[in-house]
Amino acid sequence: MPDSSGFIYLYFPEVDKTQSEYKKNSFSVIHKLGENPESRIPIFQTNEDLLISEDFYPKVKIGSSLDKHIIGYVATSDDYYDSYIATISDILQGKPDWKPFFKKEDAIFYDQGEVRGGDFIFRQGNLKGNLLGKVSIKNPDFNNPIVLAEGSKKNPIVKFEVTKNNIYYARSLYGSNVSLYVLNSSNEIQQLHPPFDPGYATFFGESIMHNNIGVGLDGWTTDYTRYLIHKDGSFSREVLSPLLTYPEFENIITEQIMITSHDGVEVPLSLVYKQGMERNSANEVFIYVYGAYGESMSPFFSPIFLDWAEQGGILAFPHVRGGGEKGKEWHEQGMKNLKYNSWKDLIACTEALINLNLTEAGLISLYTSSAGGITAGMAVNERPDLYSSFIAEVPRLNPLGLESSNTASSTSYLEYGTVKDSTEFIGLVKMDPYLNISSEISYPAVLVMPSYNDDRIPLWDSGKYIAKLQNNNWTCTPVLMDIDYQNGHETFGDYDESVRLYSKIFSFAKYNMKR
């Protein structure tokens, strides 16, 4: 709360995964310090005036200690939410009067909106890319906002932060090359020039009380480093943590090429490899793909991954449809009945690596996680000959069954489709890796690693897939399931545990290269 009297949190009445009401009918609660934590005061929930689906999450956001308004979001797995607005004074009295604010159709990114005085500053999607806009809270017109800055399809605005007088924002070219800008109080835009060309950026330290701000930058070959942005636009490294160096990776370089997919659409493909690498078909390739929920495959620095390139291999990151590399439209072209674009983009990128004489079939390992299991699993079903191994961590491999499971991903039907719609049902069947396993083809080596405590994807999802694949696989390739009994959907283990995990992944990839 702005006056530090307490805090607001999302409360789940049922947290037993074995119950049908697991994580349903949640609501936001205000807790004032010193009061009985069992005496919950609901402030944002479904009622006779505000109907919210039992699967959706009524969350709230307060941007700063000076805010007089609070935003309520009806959260789902989509990028856009319905929202409501109330005054914080009413919230403190336990009598919120929620008024409709923006609708899902207004295409406001749920995590990109800030109240500043009497205005609401936000990031909005549109057909051209997206924009930063501003409306009056008293008379909001999201169809005709004041436009502060614009992005494009190939280079959209991906995030922004507001300080006392300025707005800092980042654009990302095809999800891999970030540029930074500042919009001052005179509405003048200045491009900033950081110490290196980053692939990913995140702001920190912003406040409505001052103009100080910092930015963390990293990329495929550059470790995450925090910088302070000064008034004149210059940068200086924050010295609260030591600067680590990795001389063993100094000769690793990156490249992004455009690949023509099955329908003529160009798909970005990021490559990481050792300088001077021979372009011949003997190179071993490790592909990491995702392609869902509008999440971009943003560059990340990982010594474990880079070691593959340092030893002479190629790291490949296809930015397939279903992600957000080219804005919201790129996401929508890989959703529901258009999901096939995701795995056909992956297949096109894999074929391109071979056609460019960078590698050959049998020297390509495919790795994915979570929702990427659909993209990678269907690529393996359609073109198993391309891959030497398929490795999937906490994967979604049976999307047709997702609505029958009591998991926290109960709104995933917004991404994949629902069995309750005849057209979307057909799309679910076509995208389901489990349903499309065939006994007539030869599968590569497969390693699936689900988590026993996963509250998003149940264990039977991977179990069914592995059992059917083992039953239909007539070759001598290994088909294995390795269950993690300690962690949930996202691994929260220590560094040593991460090393053990990726040692397993990369050794399986290396061992099953077919030379």
Side-chain angles (χ1 to χ4, degrees), residues 364-384:
I364 305 172
S365 181
L366 177 60
Y367 166 61
T368 191
S369 61
S370 192
I374 296 175
T375 297
M378 284 305 302
V380 170
N381 278 338
E382 289 198 3
R383 290 299 306 277

Side-chain angles (χ1 to χ4, degrees), residues 11 28 43 50 57 61 64 122 129-130 138 150 153 171 195 201 255 279 296 304 381 401 428 439:
Y11 175 69
S28 283
I43 59 166
L50 184 61
Y57 303 139
K61 179 179 180 180
S64 82
F122 57 91
N130 53 33
K138 289 185 177 181
E150 289 189 273
K153 282 186 178 181
R171 298 175 67 179
E255 177 185 5
R279 291 180 175 263
S296 297
I304 297 176
N381 278 338
L428 278 167
S439 61

Side-chain angles (χ1 to χ4, degrees), residues 47 76 81 94 188 207 220 231 255 315 399 447 480:
N47 54 43
T76 69
Y81 300 163
E188 299 171 329
S207 171
W220 298 123
K231 184 177 180 180
E255 177 185 5
L315 295 169
L447 173 61
L480 307 174

